[in-house]
Amino acid sequence: MRGFWRKFKVVRGALIFTCFYLSGGFYGLVVLPLLSLFRRDPLERMRKNNITVANAFCGILDILRWARIFTFDPRKVVKKLPDRPCIIIANHPTTI
């Protein structure tokens, strides 16, 4: 029975990451260009697009937690980040 749940987890992960990549294409080809049409100021357009992409990533992380693919909680990491600007790099989509 344990092998079934492991295979089921692999299938869930594959479906979720397929949706992740398809939604990335959808956002890049449809959502972000549509948002850009309604903003004249380049700085405001960039801010709105950044907020939209950040919310989309939060949604993906919530779906991954809901599907029990992983249990990463960014709220715990934020407390450990320095007060100054820093760069956090994910070297592979599975380390988002």
Side-chain angles (χ1 to χ4, degrees):
M1 191 68 169
R2 188 169 194 201
F4 168 76
W5 289 112
R6 184 171 177 84
K7 290 176 186 174
F8 185 63
K9 186 175 183 177
V10 170
V11 170
R12 280 185 302 176
L15 287 172
I16 288 171
F17 278 106
T18 300
C19 292
F20 171 75
Y21 287 113
L22 290 175
S23 65
F26 178 72
Y27 267 74
L29 294 173
V30 178
V31 175
L32 296 177
L34 281 176
L35 285 176
S36 296
L37 286 176
F38 300 111
R39 304 281 189 260
R40 293 281 182 225
D41 181 30
L43 187 59
E44 183 184 347
R45 184 178 353 171
M46 186 173 57
R47 284 184 187 147
K48 187 65 174 175
N49 285 347
N50 284 342
I51 289 169
T52 302
V53 170
N55 288 336
F57 273 110
C58 287
I60 291 290
L61 291 174
D62 288 340
I63 290 170
L64 289 171
R65 278 193 295 274
W66 173 79
R68 297 184 182 186
I69 300 299
F70 72 179
T71 57
F72 175 74
D73 189 3
R75 292 170 206 94
K76 293 179 182 175
V77 175
V78 170
K79 296 175 188 173
K80 297 177 184 178
L81 292 176
D83 292 334
R84 62 188 187 283
C86 64
I87 297 173
I88 301 172
I89 299 171
N91 63 353
H92 192 273
T94 58
T95 58
I96 295 172

Coordinates of all heavy atoms in Angstrom, one line a residue:
M1 N 0.8 -1.2 0.0 CA 0.0 0.0 0.0 C 0.9 1.3 0.0 O 0.5 2.3 -0.6 CB -0.9 0.0 1.2 CG -2.0 1.0 1.2 SD -3.1 0.6 -0.1 CE -4.4 1.7 0.3
R2 N 2.0 1.2 0.7 CA 2.9 2.3 0.7 C 3.4 2.7 -0.7 O 3.6 3.9 -1.0 CB 4.0 2.1 1.7 CG 4.9 3.3 1.9 CD 5.8 3.0 3.0 NE 6.3 4.3 3.5 CZ 7.4 4.5 4.1 NH1 8.1 3.5 4.5 NH2 7.8 5.7 4.4
G3 N 3.7 1.8 -1.5 CA 4.1 2.1 -2.9 C 3.1 2.8 -3.7 O 3.4 3.7 -4.5
F4 N 1.8 2.5 -3.4 CA 0.7 3.2 -4.1 C 0.8 4.7 -3.8 O 0.7 5.6 -4.7 CB -0.6 2.7 -3.8 CG -1.8 3.5 -4.2 CD1 -2.2 3.5 -5.5 CD2 -2.5 4.3 -3.3 CE1 -3.2 4.3 -6.0 CE2 -3.5 5.1 -3.7 CZ -3.9 5.1 -5.1
W5 N 0.9 5.1 -2.5 CA 0.9 6.5 -2.1 C 2.1 7.2 -2.6 O 2.0 8.4 -3.0 CB 0.8 6.6 -0.6 CG -0.6 6.2 -0.1 CD1 -0.9 5.1 0.6 CD2 -1.8 6.9 -0.4 NE1 -2.3 5.1 0.9 CE2 -2.9 6.1 0.2 CE3 -2.2 8.0 -1.1 CZ2 -4.2 6.5 0.2 CZ3 -3.5 8.4 -1.1 CH2 -4.5 7.6 -0.5
R6 N 3.2 6.5 -2.7 CA 4.4 7.1 -3.2 C 4.2 7.4 -4.7 O 4.6 8.5 -5.2 CB 5.6 6.2 -3.0 CG 6.9 6.8 -3.5 CD 8.1 5.9 -3.0 NE 9.3 6.4 -3.5 CZ 10.0 7.4 -2.8 NH1 9.6 7.9 -1.7 NH2 11.2 7.8 -3.3
K7 N 3.7 6.5 -5.5 CA 3.4 6.7 -6.9 C 2.4 7.8 -7.1 O 2.5 8.7 -8.0 CB 3.0 5.5 -7.6 CG 4.0 4.4 -7.7 CD 3.5 3.2 -8.3 CE 4.6 2.1 -8.3 NZ 4.1 0.8 -8.8
F8 N 1.4 7.8 -6.2 CA 0.4 8.9 -6.3 C 1.0 10.3 -6.0 O 0.6 11.2 -6.7 CB -0.8 8.6 -5.3 CG -1.9 9.5 -5.3 CD1 -2.7 9.6 -6.5 CD2 -2.2 10.3 -4.2 CE1 -3.8 10.5 -6.5 CE2 -3.3 11.2 -4.3 CZ -4.1 11.2 -5.4
K9 N 1.9 10.3 -5.1 CA 2.6 11.6 -4.8 C 3.4 12.1 -6.1 O 3.4 13.2 -6.4 CB 3.5 11.4 -3.6 CG 4.1 12.7 -3.2 CD 5.0 12.5 -1.9 CE 5.5 13.8 -1.4 NZ 6.3 13.7 -0.2
V10 N 4.0 11.1 -6.8 CA 4.8 11.5 -8.0 C 3.8 12.0 -9.0 O 4.1 13.0 -9.7 CB 5.6 10.2 -8.5 CG1 6.1 10.5 -9.9 CG2 6.7 9.9 -7.5
V11 N 2.7 11.4 -9.2 CA 1.7 11.8 -10.2 C 1.2 13.2 -9.8 O 1.1 14.1 -10.6 CB 0.5 10.8 -10.3 CG1 -0.6 11.4 -11.1 CG2 1.0 9.5 -10.9
R12 N 0.9 13.4 -8.5 CA 0.4 14.8 -8.1 C 1.5 15.8 -8.4 O 1.2 16.9 -8.8 CB 0.1 14.8 -6.6 CG -1.2 14.2 -6.2 CD -1.4 14.4 -4.7 NE -0.3 13.7 -4.0 CZ -0.1 13.7 -2.7 NH1 -0.9 14.4 -1.9 NH2 0.9 13.1 -2.1
G13 N 2.7 15.5 -8.0 CA 3.8 16.4 -8.3 C 4.0 16.8 -9.8 O 4.1 17.9 -10.2
A14 N 3.9 15.7 -10.6 CA 4.0 16.0 -12.1 C 2.8 16.8 -12.6 O 3.0 17.8 -13.4 CB 4.0 14.6 -12.8
L15 N 1.6 16.6 -12.1 CA 0.5 17.4 -12.5 C 0.6 18.9 -12.0 O 0.3 19.8 -12.8 CB -0.8 16.8 -12.0 CG -1.3 15.5 -12.7 CD1 -2.5 15.0 -11.9 CD2 -1.6 15.8 -14.1
I16 N 1.0 19.0 -10.8 CA 1.2 20.4 -10.3 C 2.3 21.2 -11.0 O 2.1 22.3 -11.4 CB 1.4 20.3 -8.8 CG1 0.1 19.9 -8.1 CG2 1.9 21.7 -8.2 CD1 0.2 19.6 -6.6
F17 N 3.4 20.5 -11.3 CA 4.5 21.3 -12.0 C 4.1 21.5 -13.4 O 4.5 22.5 -14.0 CB 5.8 20.5 -11.8 CG 6.5 20.9 -10.5 CD1 6.5 20.0 -9.5 CD2 7.0 22.1 -10.3 CE1 7.1 20.3 -8.3 CE2 7.6 22.5 -9.1 CZ 7.6 21.5 -8.1
T18 N 3.3 20.6 -14.0 CA 2.9 20.9 -15.4 C 2.0 22.1 -15.4 O 2.1 23.0 -16.2 CB 2.1 19.6 -15.9 OG1 3.0 18.5 -16.0 CG2 1.5 19.9 -17.3
C19 N 1.1 22.2 -14.4 CA 0.2 23.3 -14.3 C 1.0 24.6 -14.0 O 0.7 25.7 -14.5 CB -0.8 23.1 -13.2 SG -2.1 21.9 -13.6
F20 N 2.1 24.4 -13.2 CA 3.0 25.5 -12.9 C 3.6 26.1 -14.2 O 3.5 27.3 -14.4 CB 4.1 25.1 -11.9 CG 5.2 26.1 -11.7 CD1 5.0 27.2 -10.9 CD2 6.4 25.9 -12.3 CE1 6.0 28.1 -10.7 CE2 7.4 26.8 -12.0 CZ 7.2 27.9 -11.2
Y21 N 4.1 25.3 -15.0 CA 4.7 25.8 -16.2 C 3.7 26.3 -17.2 O 4.0 27.3 -17.9 CB 5.6 24.7 -16.9 CG 6.9 24.4 -16.1 CD1 7.1 23.2 -15.4 CD2 7.8 25.4 -16.0 CE1 8.2 23.0 -14.7 CE2 9.0 25.2 -15.2 CZ 9.2 24.0 -14.6 OH 10.3 23.8 -13.8
L22 N 2.6 25.6 -17.3 CA 1.5 26.1 -18.2 C 1.0 27.5 -17.8 O 0.7 28.4 -18.6 CB 0.4 25.1 -18.4 CG 0.8 23.8 -19.1 CD1 -0.4 22.9 -19.1 CD2 1.1 24.1 -20.6
S23 N 0.8 27.6 -16.4 CA 0.3 28.9 -15.9 C 1.4 30.0 -16.1 O 1.0 31.2 -16.3 CB -0.1 28.8 -14.5 OG 1.0 28.5 -13.7
G24 N 2.7 29.6 -16.0 CA 3.7 30.6 -16.3 C 3.6 31.1 -17.7 O 3.8 32.3 -18.0
G25 N 3.4 30.2 -18.7 CA 3.2 30.7 -20.1 C 2.0 31.5 -20.2 O 2.0 32.5 -20.9
F26 N 0.9 31.1 -19.6 CA -0.3 31.9 -19.6 C -0.2 33.3 -19.1 O -0.6 34.3 -19.7 CB -1.5 31.1 -18.9 CG -2.8 31.9 -18.9 CD1 -3.5 31.9 -20.0 CD2 -3.2 32.5 -17.7 CE1 -4.7 32.6 -20.0 CE2 -4.4 33.1 -17.7 CZ -5.2 33.2 -18.8
Y27 N 0.5 33.4 -17.9 CA 0.8 34.7 -17.3 C 1.6 35.5 -18.3 O 1.4 36.7 -18.4 CB 1.5 34.6 -16.0 CG 0.5 34.5 -14.8 CD1 -0.3 33.4 -14.6 CD2 0.4 35.6 -14.0 CE1 -1.2 33.4 -13.5 CE2 -0.5 35.6 -12.9 CZ -1.3 34.5 -12.7 OH -2.2 34.5 -11.7
G28 N 2.7 34.9 -18.8 CA 3.6 35.7 -19.7 C 3.0 36.1 -21.0 O 3.3 37.2 -21.5
L29 N 2.1 35.3 -21.5 CA 1.5 35.6 -22.8 C 0.1 36.4 -22.8 O -0.2 37.1 -23.7 CB 1.3 34.3 -23.6 CG 2.5 33.6 -24.1 CD1 2.2 32.3 -24.7 CD2 3.3 34.5 -25.0
V30 N -0.6 36.2 -21.6 CA -1.9 36.8 -21.6 C -2.1 37.8 -20.4 O -2.4 39.0 -20.6 CB -3.0 35.7 -21.5 CG1 -4.4 36.3 -21.3 CG2 -3.0 34.8 -22.7
V31 N -1.9 37.3 -19.2 CA -2.2 38.1 -18.0 C -1.3 39.4 -17.9 O -1.8 40.5 -17.8 CB -2.1 37.3 -16.7 CG1 -2.3 38.2 -15.5 CG2 -3.0 36.2 -16.8
L32 N 0.0 39.3 -18.0 CA 0.9 40.4 -17.8 C 0.7 41.4 -19.0 O 0.7 42.6 -18.7 CB 2.3 40.0 -17.6 CG 2.6 39.1 -16.3 CD1 4.0 38.7 -16.3 CD2 2.2 39.9 -15.1
P33 N 0.6 41.0 -20.2 CA 0.4 42.0 -21.3 C -0.9 42.7 -21.1 O -1.0 43.9 -21.4 CB 0.4 41.2 -22.6 CG 1.3 40.0 -22.3 CD 1.0 39.7 -20.8
L34 N -2.0 42.0 -20.6 CA -3.2 42.7 -20.4 C -3.1 43.7 -19.3 O -3.7 44.8 -19.4 CB -4.4 41.7 -20.1 CG -4.9 40.9 -21.3 CD1 -5.9 39.9 -20.8 CD2 -5.6 41.9 -22.3
L35 N -2.5 43.4 -18.2 CA -2.3 44.3 -17.1 C -1.5 45.5 -17.6 O -1.7 46.7 -17.2 CB -1.5 43.7 -16.0 CG -2.3 42.7 -15.1 CD1 -1.4 42.1 -14.0 CD2 -3.5 43.5 -14.4
S36 N -0.5 45.3 -18.5 CA 0.3 46.4 -19.0 C -0.5 47.4 -19.9 O -0.1 48.5 -20.0 CB 1.5 45.8 -19.8 OG 2.3 45.1 -18.9
L37 N -1.5 46.9 -20.5 CA -2.3 47.8 -21.4 C -3.0 48.9 -20.6 O -3.2 50.0 -21.1 CB -3.4 46.9 -22.1 CG -2.9 46.0 -23.2 CD1 -4.1 45.2 -23.7 CD2 -2.3 46.9 -24.3
F38 N -3.3 48.6 -19.3 CA -4.1 49.6 -18.5 C -3.2 50.5 -17.7 O -3.8 51.3 -16.9 CB -5.1 48.8 -17.6 CG -6.0 48.0 -18.4 CD1 -6.0 46.6 -18.4 CD2 -7.0 48.6 -19.2 CE1 -6.8 45.8 -19.1 CE2 -7.9 47.8 -20.0 CZ -7.8 46.5 -19.9
R39 N -1.9 50.4 -17.8 CA -1.0 51.3 -17.0 C -0.2 52.1 -18.0 O 0.5 51.5 -18.8 CB -0.1 50.4 -16.1 CG -0.9 49.5 -15.1 CD -1.4 50.3 -13.9 NE -1.9 49.5 -12.9 CZ -3.2 49.2 -12.7 NH1 -4.1 49.7 -13.5 NH2 -3.6 48.5 -11.7
R40 N -0.2 53.4 -17.9 CA 0.7 54.2 -18.7 C 2.1 54.4 -18.1 O 3.0 54.4 -18.8 CB 0.0 55.6 -18.9 CG -1.3 55.5 -19.7 CD -1.0 55.3 -21.2 NE -2.2 55.3 -22.0 CZ -2.4 54.5 -22.9 NH1 -1.5 53.6 -23.2 NH2 -3.5 54.5 -23.6
D41 N 2.1 54.6 -16.8 CA 3.4 54.9 -16.2 C 4.2 53.6 -16.1 O 3.8 52.6 -15.6 CB 3.1 55.4 -14.8 CG 4.4 55.7 -14.0 OD1 5.4 56.1 -14.7 OD2 4.4 55.6 -12.8
P42 N 5.4 53.6 -16.7 CA 6.2 52.4 -16.7 C 6.6 51.8 -15.3 O 6.6 50.6 -15.0 CB 7.5 52.8 -17.4 CG 7.2 54.0 -18.1 CD 6.1 54.7 -17.4
L43 N 6.8 52.7 -14.3 CA 7.1 52.3 -12.9 C 5.9 51.6 -12.3 O 6.0 50.6 -11.7 CB 7.6 53.5 -12.1 CG 8.1 53.2 -10.7 CD1 9.3 52.2 -10.8 CD2 8.5 54.4 -10.0
E44 N 4.7 52.2 -12.5 CA 3.5 51.6 -11.9 C 3.2 50.3 -12.6 O 2.8 49.3 -11.9 CB 2.3 52.6 -12.2 CG 1.0 52.1 -11.6 CD -0.1 53.1 -11.9 OE1 0.1 54.2 -12.3 OE2 -1.3 52.6 -11.7
R45 N 3.4 50.2 -13.9 CA 3.2 49.0 -14.6 C 4.1 47.9 -14.1 O 3.7 46.7 -13.9 CB 3.5 49.2 -16.1 CG 3.2 48.0 -17.0 CD 3.4 48.3 -18.4 NE 3.7 49.8 -18.6 CZ 4.1 50.3 -19.8 NH1 4.3 49.6 -20.8 NH2 4.4 51.6 -19.9
M46 N 5.4 48.2 -13.9 CA 6.3 47.2 -13.4 C 5.9 46.8 -11.9 O 6.0 45.6 -11.6 CB 7.7 47.8 -13.3 CG 8.8 46.8 -13.0 SD 10.5 47.5 -13.1 CE 10.4 48.9 -12.1
R47 N 5.5 47.7 -11.1 CA 5.1 47.3 -9.7 C 3.9 46.4 -9.8 O 3.8 45.4 -9.1 CB 4.7 48.6 -8.9 CG 5.9 49.3 -8.5 CD 5.5 50.5 -7.6 NE 6.7 51.3 -7.3 CZ 6.7 52.6 -7.1 NH1 5.5 53.3 -7.2 NH2 7.8 53.3 -6.9
K48 N 2.9 46.7 -10.6 CA 1.7 45.9 -10.7 C 2.0 44.5 -11.2 O 1.5 43.5 -10.7 CB 0.7 46.6 -11.6 CG -0.7 45.9 -11.7 CD -1.3 46.0 -10.3 CE -2.7 45.4 -10.4 NZ -3.4 45.3 -9.1
N49 N 2.9 44.4 -12.2 CA 3.3 43.1 -12.7 C 4.1 42.3 -11.7 O 3.9 41.1 -11.6 CB 4.1 43.3 -14.0 CG 3.3 43.7 -15.2 OD1 2.0 43.6 -15.2 ND2 3.9 44.1 -16.3
N50 N 5.0 43.0 -11.0 CA 5.7 42.3 -9.9 C 4.8 41.8 -8.8 O 5.0 40.6 -8.3 CB 6.8 43.2 -9.3 CG 8.0 43.4 -10.2 OD1 8.2 42.6 -11.1 ND2 8.7 44.5 -9.9
I51 N 3.8 42.6 -8.4 CA 2.8 42.1 -7.4 C 2.0 40.9 -7.9 O 1.8 39.9 -7.2 CB 1.9 43.3 -7.0 CG1 2.7 44.3 -6.2 CG2 0.7 42.8 -6.2 CD1 1.9 45.6 -6.0
T52 N 1.6 41.0 -9.2 CA 0.9 39.9 -9.8 C 1.7 38.6 -9.8 O 1.2 37.5 -9.5 CB 0.4 40.2 -11.2 OG1 -0.3 41.4 -11.1 CG2 -0.4 39.1 -11.8
V53 N 3.0 38.7 -10.2 CA 3.8 37.5 -10.3 C 4.1 37.0 -8.9 O 4.1 35.7 -8.6 CB 5.1 37.8 -11.0 CG1 6.2 36.7 -10.9 CG2 4.9 38.1 -12.5
A54 N 4.3 37.9 -7.9 CA 4.5 37.4 -6.5 C 3.3 36.7 -6.0 O 3.4 35.7 -5.3 CB 4.9 38.6 -5.6
N55 N 2.1 37.2 -6.2 CA 0.9 36.5 -5.8 C 0.7 35.2 -6.5 O 0.2 34.2 -5.8 CB -0.3 37.4 -6.0 CG -0.4 38.6 -5.1 OD1 0.2 38.6 -4.0 ND2 -1.0 39.7 -5.5
A56 N 1.1 35.1 -7.7 CA 1.0 33.8 -8.4 C 1.9 32.8 -7.8 O 1.6 31.6 -7.6 CB 1.3 34.0 -9.9
F57 N 3.1 33.2 -7.5 CA 4.1 32.3 -6.8 C 3.6 31.9 -5.4 O 3.7 30.7 -5.0 CB 5.5 32.9 -6.7 CG 6.3 32.7 -7.9 CD1 6.6 33.7 -8.7 CD2 6.8 31.4 -8.2 CE1 7.4 33.5 -9.9 CE2 7.6 31.2 -9.3 CZ 7.9 32.2 -10.2
C58 N 3.0 32.8 -4.7 CA 2.4 32.4 -3.4 C 1.3 31.4 -3.6 O 1.1 30.5 -2.8 CB 1.9 33.7 -2.7 SG 3.1 34.7 -2.0
G59 N 0.5 31.6 -4.6 CA -0.6 30.6 -4.9 C 0.0 29.2 -5.2 O -0.5 28.2 -4.8
I60 N 1.1 29.2 -6.0 CA 1.7 27.9 -6.4 C 2.2 27.2 -5.1 O 2.1 26.0 -4.9 CB 2.8 28.1 -7.4 CG1 2.3 28.5 -8.7 CG2 3.7 26.9 -7.5 CD1 1.5 27.4 -9.5
L61 N 2.9 28.0 -4.2 CA 3.4 27.5 -3.0 C 2.3 26.9 -2.1 O 2.4 25.9 -1.5 CB 4.2 28.5 -2.2 CG 5.5 28.9 -2.9 CD1 6.2 30.0 -2.1 CD2 6.5 27.7 -2.9
D62 N 1.1 27.7 -2.1 CA 0.0 27.2 -1.3 C -0.6 25.9 -1.9 O -0.9 25.0 -1.1 CB -1.1 28.3 -1.3 CG -0.8 29.5 -0.4 OD1 0.1 29.3 0.5 OD2 -1.4 30.5 -0.6
I63 N -0.6 25.8 -3.2 CA -1.1 24.5 -3.8 C -0.1 23.4 -3.5 O -0.6 22.3 -3.2 CB -1.2 24.7 -5.3 CG1 -2.4 25.6 -5.6 CG2 -1.4 23.4 -6.0 CD1 -2.5 26.1 -7.0
L64 N 1.2 23.6 -3.5 CA 2.2 22.6 -3.2 C 2.0 22.1 -1.7 O 2.2 21.0 -1.5 CB 3.6 23.1 -3.5 CG 3.9 23.2 -5.0 CD1 5.3 23.9 -5.1 CD2 4.0 21.9 -5.6
R65 N 1.8 23.1 -0.9 CA 1.6 22.7 0.6 C 0.2 21.9 0.7 O 0.2 21.0 1.4 CB 1.5 24.0 1.4 CG 2.9 24.4 1.8 CD 2.9 25.5 2.9 NE 2.2 26.7 2.5 CZ 2.8 27.7 1.9 NH1 4.1 27.6 1.6 NH2 2.1 28.8 1.6
W66 N -0.8 22.4 0.0 CA -2.1 21.7 0.1 C -2.0 20.3 -0.4 O -2.6 19.4 0.1 CB -3.1 22.5 -0.7 CG -4.4 21.8 -0.8 CD1 -5.4 21.8 0.1 CD2 -4.9 21.1 -2.0 NE1 -6.5 21.1 -0.4 CE2 -6.2 20.6 -1.6 CE3 -4.4 20.8 -3.2 CZ2 -6.9 19.9 -2.5 CZ3 -5.1 20.0 -4.1 CH2 -6.4 19.6 -3.7
A67 N -1.2 20.1 -1.5 CA -1.1 18.7 -2.1 C -0.1 17.9 -1.3 O 0.2 16.8 -1.7 CB -0.7 18.9 -3.6
R68 N 0.5 18.5 -0.3 CA 1.5 17.8 0.5 C 2.7 17.3 -0.3 O 3.3 16.3 0.0 CB 0.9 16.6 1.3 CG -0.1 17.1 2.3 CD -0.7 16.0 3.1 NE -1.7 16.6 4.0 CZ -2.3 15.9 4.9 NH1 -2.0 14.6 5.1 NH2 -3.2 16.5 5.6
I69 N 3.1 18.1 -1.3 CA 4.3 17.9 -2.0 C 5.5 18.3 -1.2 O 6.5 17.6 -1.2 CB 4.3 18.6 -3.4 CG1 3.1 18.2 -4.2 CG2 5.6 18.4 -4.1 CD1 3.0 16.7 -4.6
F70 N 5.4 19.4 -0.5 CA 6.4 19.8 0.4 C 5.8 20.7 1.5 O 4.7 21.2 1.3 CB 7.6 20.4 -0.2 CG 7.4 21.8 -0.8 CD1 8.5 22.4 -1.4 CD2 6.2 22.5 -0.8 CE1 8.4 23.7 -2.0 CE2 6.1 23.8 -1.3 CZ 7.2 24.4 -1.9
T71 N 6.5 21.0 2.5 CA 6.0 21.7 3.7 C 6.7 23.0 4.0 O 6.8 23.4 5.1 CB 5.9 20.8 4.9 OG1 7.3 20.4 5.2 CG2 5.0 19.7 4.8
F72 N 7.3 23.6 3.0 CA 8.1 24.8 3.2 C 7.2 25.9 3.6 O 6.2 26.1 2.9 CB 8.9 25.1 1.9 CG 9.6 26.4 1.9 CD1 10.7 26.6 2.6 CD2 9.1 27.6 1.2 CE1 11.4 27.8 2.7 CE2 9.8 28.8 1.3 CZ 10.9 28.9 2.0
D73 N 7.6 26.7 4.6 CA 6.8 27.8 5.0 C 7.6 29.1 5.0 O 8.5 29.2 5.8 CB 6.2 27.6 6.4 CG 5.3 28.6 6.9 OD1 4.9 29.5 6.0 OD2 4.8 28.6 8.0
P74 N 7.4 29.9 4.0 CA 8.3 31.1 3.9 C 8.2 32.1 5.0 O 9.1 32.8 5.3 CB 7.8 31.8 2.5 CG 6.5 31.2 2.3 CD 6.4 29.9 3.0
R75 N 7.1 32.0 5.8 CA 6.9 32.9 6.9 C 7.9 32.6 8.0 O 8.3 33.6 8.7 CB 5.5 32.8 7.4 CG 4.4 33.3 6.5 CD 3.0 32.9 6.9 NE 2.2 32.9 5.8 CZ 1.9 31.7 5.1 NH1 2.4 30.6 5.5 NH2 1.1 31.7 4.1
K76 N 8.4 31.4 8.1 CA 9.4 31.1 9.1 C 10.8 31.6 8.6 O 11.6 31.9 9.4 CB 9.5 29.6 9.3 CG 8.2 29.1 10.0 CD 8.3 27.6 10.2 CE 7.0 27.0 10.8 NZ 7.0 25.6 10.9
V77 N 11.0 31.6 7.3 CA 12.3 32.0 6.8 C 12.5 33.5 6.8 O 13.5 34.1 7.1 CB 12.5 31.5 5.3 CG1 13.8 32.0 4.7 CG2 12.5 30.0 5.3
V78 N 11.4 34.3 6.6 CA 11.4 35.7 6.6 C 12.0 36.3 7.9 O 12.7 37.3 7.9 CB 10.0 36.3 6.3 CG1 9.9 37.8 6.5 CG2 9.6 35.9 4.9
K79 N 11.7 35.6 9.0 CA 12.2 36.1 10.3 C 13.7 36.0 10.4 O 14.4 36.8 11.1 CB 11.6 35.3 11.4 CG 10.1 35.5 11.5 CD 9.6 34.5 12.6 CE 8.1 34.5 12.6 NZ 7.5 33.5 13.5
K80 N 14.3 35.1 9.6 CA 15.8 34.9 9.6 C 16.5 35.7 8.6 O 17.8 35.7 8.6 CB 16.1 33.4 9.4 CG 15.5 32.5 10.5 CD 15.8 31.1 10.2 CE 15.2 30.2 11.3 NZ 15.4 28.8 11.0
L81 N 15.8 36.4 7.7 CA 16.5 37.2 6.7 C 17.1 38.5 7.2 O 16.5 39.0 8.2 CB 15.5 37.5 5.6 CG 15.0 36.4 4.7 CD1 13.9 36.8 3.7 CD2 16.1 35.7 4.0
P82 N 18.1 39.0 6.6 CA 18.7 40.2 7.1 C 17.8 41.4 6.8 O 17.0 41.3 6.0 CB 20.0 40.3 6.4 CG 19.9 39.4 5.2 CD 18.9 38.4 5.5
D83 N 18.0 42.5 7.6 CA 17.2 43.7 7.4 C 17.6 44.4 6.1 O 16.8 45.2 5.5 CB 17.4 44.7 8.5 CG 16.8 44.1 9.8 OD1 15.9 43.3 9.7 OD2 17.3 44.5 10.9
R84 N 18.8 44.2 5.6 CA 19.2 44.9 4.3 C 18.7 44.0 3.1 O 18.3 42.9 3.3 CB 20.7 45.0 4.3 CG 21.4 43.7 4.4 CD 22.9 43.9 4.6 NE 23.7 42.7 4.4 CZ 23.7 41.7 5.4 NH1 23.0 41.9 6.5 NH2 24.4 40.6 5.2
P85 N 18.8 44.6 1.9 CA 18.4 43.8 0.7 C 19.3 42.6 0.5 O 20.5 42.6 0.8 CB 18.6 44.8 -0.4 CG 18.5 46.1 0.2 CD 19.1 46.0 1.6
C86 N 18.7 41.5 0.0 CA 19.5 40.3 -0.2 C 18.8 39.6 -1.4 O 17.7 39.9 -1.8 CB 19.5 39.4 1.0 SG 17.9 38.8 1.5
I87 N 19.6 38.7 -2.0 CA 19.1 37.9 -3.1 C 19.0 36.4 -2.7 O 19.9 35.9 -2.1 CB 20.1 38.0 -4.3 CG1 20.1 39.4 -4.8 CG2 19.6 37.1 -5.4 CD1 21.2 39.7 -5.8
I88 N 17.8 35.8 -2.9 CA 17.6 34.4 -2.6 C 17.4 33.7 -4.0 O 16.6 34.1 -4.8 CB 16.4 34.2 -1.8 CG1 16.5 35.0 -0.5 CG2 16.1 32.7 -1.5 CD1 15.3 35.0 0.4
I89 N 18.3 32.7 -4.2 CA 18.3 32.0 -5.5 C 17.8 30.6 -5.4 O 18.3 29.9 -4.5 CB 19.7 32.1 -6.1 CG1 20.1 33.5 -6.3 CG2 19.7 31.3 -7.4 CD1 21.6 33.7 -6.7
A90 N 16.8 30.2 -6.2 CA 16.4 28.8 -6.3 C 17.1 28.3 -7.6 O 16.8 28.8 -8.6 CB 14.9 28.7 -6.4
N91 N 17.9 27.3 -7.4 CA 18.7 26.8 -8.6 C 17.9 25.7 -9.3 O 18.4 25.2 -10.3 CB 20.1 26.3 -8.2 CG 20.0 25.1 -7.2 OD1 18.9 24.7 -6.7 ND2 21.1 24.5 -6.9
H92 N 16.7 25.4 -8.9 CA 15.9 24.4 -9.6 C 14.4 24.6 -9.3 O 14.2 25.0 -8.1 CB 16.4 23.0 -9.2 CG 15.8 21.9 -10.1 ND1 14.6 21.3 -9.9 CD2 16.3 21.3 -11.3 CE1 14.3 20.5 -10.8 NE2 15.3 20.4 -11.7
P93 N 13.5 24.4 -10.2 CA 12.1 24.6 -9.8 C 11.6 23.9 -8.6 O 10.7 24.3 -7.9 CB 11.3 24.2 -11.1 CG 12.3 24.3 -12.2 CD 13.7 24.0 -11.6
T94 N 12.2 22.7 -8.3 CA 11.8 22.0 -7.1 C 12.3 22.6 -5.8 O 11.8 22.2 -4.7 CB 12.2 20.5 -7.2 OG1 13.6 20.5 -7.3 CG2 11.6 19.8 -8.3
T95 N 13.2 23.6 -5.9 CA 13.6 24.3 -4.7 C 13.0 25.6 -4.5 O 13.5 26.5 -3.8 CB 15.2 24.4 -4.7 OG1 15.5 25.2 -5.8 CG2 15.8 23.1 -4.6
I96 N 11.8 25.8 -5.2 CA 11.1 27.1 -5.0 C 10.7 27.2 -3.5 O 10.7 28.2 -2.9 CB 9.9 27.1 -5.9 CG1 10.3 27.1 -7.3 CG2 9.0 28.3 -5.6 CD1 9.1 27.0 -8.3

